[in-house]
Amino acid sequence: MTAIRKQDTDSTPGPVTARRPGGRTARTRARILEATLRLVARDGIAALRYEEVAELAGVHRTSVYRNWPDREELVNAALLRYAGSAELEDTGDLRHDLVDYLVALAGLLSTTTGRAMQRAVQSARENPEVAQLVNQIFERRLAGLQQVVDHAVARGELPPVDGYFLAEMLTGPVHLYVSRGLHPFTRAEAERITDVVLAGVRHTA
């Protein structure tokens, strides 16, 4: 069984004062990155201020500047550290795997990491550096999905389909549900989306 695991084992960072292995410098950098992620999730990239990062991280402002003199570099480092991806398994049952994936994705989007990533996506239109980072993270996720889709095609479960297109059709409604926040995203919703998308792919092949 092939499994694409979460790149981030701490999708919702704990208290920014938590100790991490690797010495004082590593712990300081970790606190700064966690604080950055929280502020980006709350206010967006454009509103990020080093003074706020330092205050939330419990460090002096010079510590932030010394490690990341450029704001985009700081944001990129924080997003890469916590750029989690919902777990996608390849059990041999495409529908089941995709439903599980959408449920996990909805959970991830509701975390600090998920909110920060959505803010980054919004900023990518005006910031080429952020756009490059967002594309890098999404390409990593797409590669995993394409592998599972290719296996399903080989089994005869699905006609040949572009993984990017399939990912957009599946995940778009999940992002919409979570961003609106009007109704909880349930497994029933994940099943409905998956069934409609797979039916459409098979019908139009």
Side-chain angles (χ1 to χ4, degrees), residues 8 28 46 80 89 104 124 152 171:
D8 160 28
T28 297
L80 281 176
E89 293 190 351
T171 63

Side-chain angles (χ1 to χ4, degrees), residues 25-145:
T25 299
R27 292 195 296 270
T28 297
R29 289 171 63 89
R31 290 200 300 269
I32 292 172
L33 294 179
E34 289 177 7
T36 300
L37 191 77
R38 291 186 177 192
L39 291 172
V40 169
R42 190 189 72 186
D43 304 323
I45 295 176
L48 185 69
R49 299 291 180 269
Y50 274 38
E51 293 80 2
E52 287 187 279
V53 173
E55 180 180 357
L56 184 58
V59 302
H60 196 276
R61 183 174 60 180
T62 56
S63 295
V64 184
Y65 280 106
R66 182 172 61 250
N67 285 281
W68 293 280
D70 180 79
R71 185 177 65 172
E72 278 68 31
E73 291 181 1
L74 172 60
V75 172
N76 287 0
L79 291 175
L80 281 176
R81 180 180 177 89
Y82 299 105
S85 177
E87 181 176 309
L88 175 59
E89 293 190 351
D90 189 356
T91 66
D93 182 339
L94 180 65
R95 179 183 184 275
H96 177 272
D97 295 339
L98 291 179
V99 169
D100 281 353
Y101 174 70
L102 295 188
V103 171
L105 176 63
L108 175 64
L109 292 175
S110 301
T111 66
T112 300
T113 298
R115 291 191 295 272
M117 281 302 304
Q118 291 181 73
R119 292 280 194 173
V121 170
Q122 294 169 4
S123 300
R125 299 172 184 173
E126 293 81 29
N127 191 318
E129 292 185 9
V130 175
Q132 184 177 4
L133 173 68
V134 169
N135 287 335
Q136 177 184 343
I137 293 171
F138 285 162
E139 285 295 330
R140 189 185 306 167
R141 296 180 183 179
L142 178 59
L145 176 61

Side-chain angles (χ1 to χ4, degrees), residues 141-155:
R141 296 180 183 179
L142 178 59
L145 176 61
Q146 185 66 63
Q147 182 181 26
V148 174
V149 169
D150 288 345
H151 290 169
V153 171
R155 293 192 303 266

